[in-house]
Amino acid sequence: MARLGASLAALTSVSLGGADVAAAASLRSAPWQPARHPQDDWFEELPGKHRFFFDATSAVGAGEAIAFATNFLVASAKGYQLGESENAIVIGLRHHATLFAFSDAIWQKYGVPLSERISYVDPRTRQPPVVNVYQATGYGALLPNRETTLNAMAKRGVHFALCDMATQVYAGVAAGKLGLKASDVYEELRASALPNAHFVAAGIVAVNRAQERGYTIQHIG
């Protein structure tokens, strides 16, 4: 049987040819590698020894992402003597968290239909927000971000992945309620976005691409 197996192996080698056998062996041994797309190259452009992606999907999650990212920066400085630029941090704002990427002017103009869509009210007034609560101070324990704003995080080098799919949905919601063109509202939303913001095809895609680019993922909720 051993001689038969050797003979069959030899025949296979002859029939396939040396090059074909080498190619087949290479395919078996090569590790899987994700495809690279230029839309995601900005993940590589962030400097840092450590890469972290905070995935926020809710109004509360947007604030908690600020708190956890702050904790990461503080602990990295105290425990490892790392400067803030030595950490590449992205906060992903998708689903209901997407709306907190936009300016006070957007909330003042469209706050009623947008807050109704995500069932969120200003915790201080119990009314639809007229400001972006995560760009404001004075809320204390009412909000989980502990008075740290999104703009303050941007100044510390944090970047933001914003869900373009959700942005288009919310533009349609506001436009439908107020009798406007969805495309006009959409452009208005994009123009008001945070500093260091990157619109991604969908937030859930950004989660996948960030991990493929070497980022640790922390889902916040």
Side-chain angles (χ1 to χ4, degrees):
M1 292 297 291
R3 286 196 298 273
L4 178 60
S7 299
L8 287 173
L11 284 171
T12 301
S13 178
V14 170
S15 64
L16 287 177
D20 290 340
V21 171
S26 176
L27 286 173
R28 288 196 300 272
S29 62
W32 175 85
Q33 292 291 332
R36 290 288 190 262
H37 306 281
Q39 299 95 316
D40 308 315
D41 285 347
W42 65 272
F43 282 116
E44 302 290 350
E45 295 166 4
L46 274 61
K49 298 176 180 178
H50 302 283
R51 293 177 167 184
F52 215 149
F53 186 101
F54 294 90
D55 175 36
T57 60
S58 68
V60 172
E64 290 180 337
I66 296 172
F68 288 130
T70 299
N71 288 351
F72 182 74
L73 288 171
V74 171
S76 294
K78 289 185 176 179
Y80 296 85
Q81 293 73 55
L82 293 176
E84 292 185 345
S85 64
E86 295 182 272
N87 296 292
I89 296 178
V90 177
I91 293 178
L93 298 174
R94 64 183 176 97
H95 198 45
H96 292 175
T98 308
L99 290 173
F100 298 94
F102 307 123
S103 68
D104 287 348
I106 292 297
W107 281 95
Q108 187 171 21
K109 188 173 182 179
Y110 303 118
V112 171
L114 295 180
S115 63
E116 179 182 302
R117 177 59 181 256
I118 66 172
S119 301
Y120 183 78
V121 295
D122 186 314
R124 191 162 51 189
T125 66
R126 308 309 299 173
Q127 298 296 318
V130 293
V131 298
N132 182 340
V133 297
Y134 294 125
Q135 294 285 46
T137 57
Y139 282 85
L142 291 174
L143 291 173
N145 60 315
R146 298 176 295 197
E147 301 287 302
T148 300
T149 65
L150 289 162
N151 275 343
M153 298 303 289
K155 290 177 181 177
R156 298 174 79 174
V158 174
H159 283 239
F160 304 92
L162 310 184
C163 181
D164 190 65
M165 185 177 289
T167 300
Q168 293 184 55
V169 169
Y170 293 126
V173 169
K177 291 285 187 178
L178 300 175
L180 303 172
K181 287 181 62 177
S183 59
D184 291 341
V185 179
Y186 170 71
E187 293 301 329
E188 196 175 354
L189 293 178
R190 285 185 62 104
S192 79
L194 290 163
N196 296 350
H198 307 265
F199 280 88
V200 295
I204 193 63
V205 172
V207 174
N208 169 259
R209 300 298 190 266
Q211 189 165 34
E212 291 182 343
R213 299 283 180 140
Y215 286 74
T216 299
I217 307 296
Q218 174 63 57
H219 178 64
I220 306 299

